[in-house]
Amino acid sequence: MSSYFRRQLADYVEYHRDPWNCAMHVFGIVFLFLAAVLPISTWSITALGIQTSAATIAVVPVLIYWFLLDFALGAAILAAAIVLLSAAAMIVSHATTAGMWLLTTLLIVIGIASQIIGHRVFERRQPALVDNPAHLLIGPIFVMAKLFIALGYRRDLAIVIQDRPQSSSSLSQQRQPEPHPHA
């Protein structure tokens, strides 16, 4: 694991301590990814003699970025992206244009709402990408890292994600000293 990825992940973790917030992010990230690729899945492109959608071409740079951060997590995200791109292709082939835009809108609303609820209700702090816009790209790899850890893989990631001590400011927000009874 590169030091850059370790720092990005450790910083992202500080905003995602609550398990309910993390669960809300799983849904939010999946819904927002699907909402992003759904409209551009309607555009067919021929590249190098292969017919594909603009959505497939659009996700290649970010997939390369995730592979560069961590090959195993990048490969897992690629598998998830293939499933979501296939779902988008199936949706656009069966839905009307109005239906596709309605679904895209619903996915955006639900995806953003789940992120906001996760941070406001469960985490009680602003989203990570407000302070660092690069966190927009760290979210999916963080979710995949959590899945790998839950399945018993990648102790190196578990050390960064689960065993990281909370910052002193977040500890002071959680625990206020109780007054001494003899004071």
Side-chain angles (χ1 to χ4, degrees):
M1 176 181 343
S2 74
S3 62
Y4 171 79
F5 181 44
R6 181 181 295 275
R7 281 191 316 274
Q8 290 296 315
L9 200 55
D11 189 43
Y12 193 85
V13 167
E14 289 297 320
Y15 293 81
H16 301 89
R17 293 256 172 229
D18 187 272
W20 286 105
N21 183 31
C22 292
M24 299 296 282
H25 276 60
V26 171
F27 293 105
I29 288 169
V30 169
F31 289 174
L32 290 170
F33 181 91
L34 188 55
V37 299
L38 198 53
I40 57 177
S41 293
T42 61
W43 301 336
S44 183
I45 294 176
T46 302
L48 304 172
I50 301 170
Q51 187 156 346
T52 189
S53 73
T56 302
I57 303 299
V59 300
V60 168
V62 74
L63 287 171
I64 291 169
Y65 174 71
W66 289 323
F67 269 106
L68 291 173
L69 288 179
D70 187 280
F71 187 80
L73 295 176
I77 292 174
L78 172 62
I82 290 169
V83 169
L84 291 170
L85 287 166
S86 298
M90 188 171 61
I91 291 167
V92 299
S93 71
H94 290 88
T96 64
T97 301
M100 183 272 303
W101 281 109
L102 177 62
L103 181 57
T104 299
T105 303
L106 287 172
L107 289 168
I108 290 170
V109 169
I110 294 168
I112 290 173
S114 68
Q115 305 285 336
I116 291 170
I117 291 167
H119 279 284
R120 296 282 183 214
V121 174
F122 300 112
E123 202 71 47
R124 299 194 190 281
R125 73 181 294 181
Q126 68 186 9
L129 68 93
V130 172
D131 292 332
N132 184 349
H135 283 179
L136 181 67
L137 299 177
I138 298 297
I141 205 163
F142 170 77
V143 168
M144 194 57 71
K146 295 280 280 186
L147 177 61
F148 271 51
I149 293 165
L151 294 173
Y153 301 110
R154 300 297 302 266
R155 297 282 311 143
D156 61 326
L157 293 170
I159 290 168
V160 175
I161 290 177
Q162 295 176 335
D163 299 336
R164 185 165 165 75
Q166 290 182 334
S167 66
S168 58
S169 64
S170 61
L171 283 175
S172 65
Q173 289 174 355
Q174 288 181 350
R175 280 187 262 160
Q176 297 295 324
E178 294 192 24
H180 192 278
H182 300 293

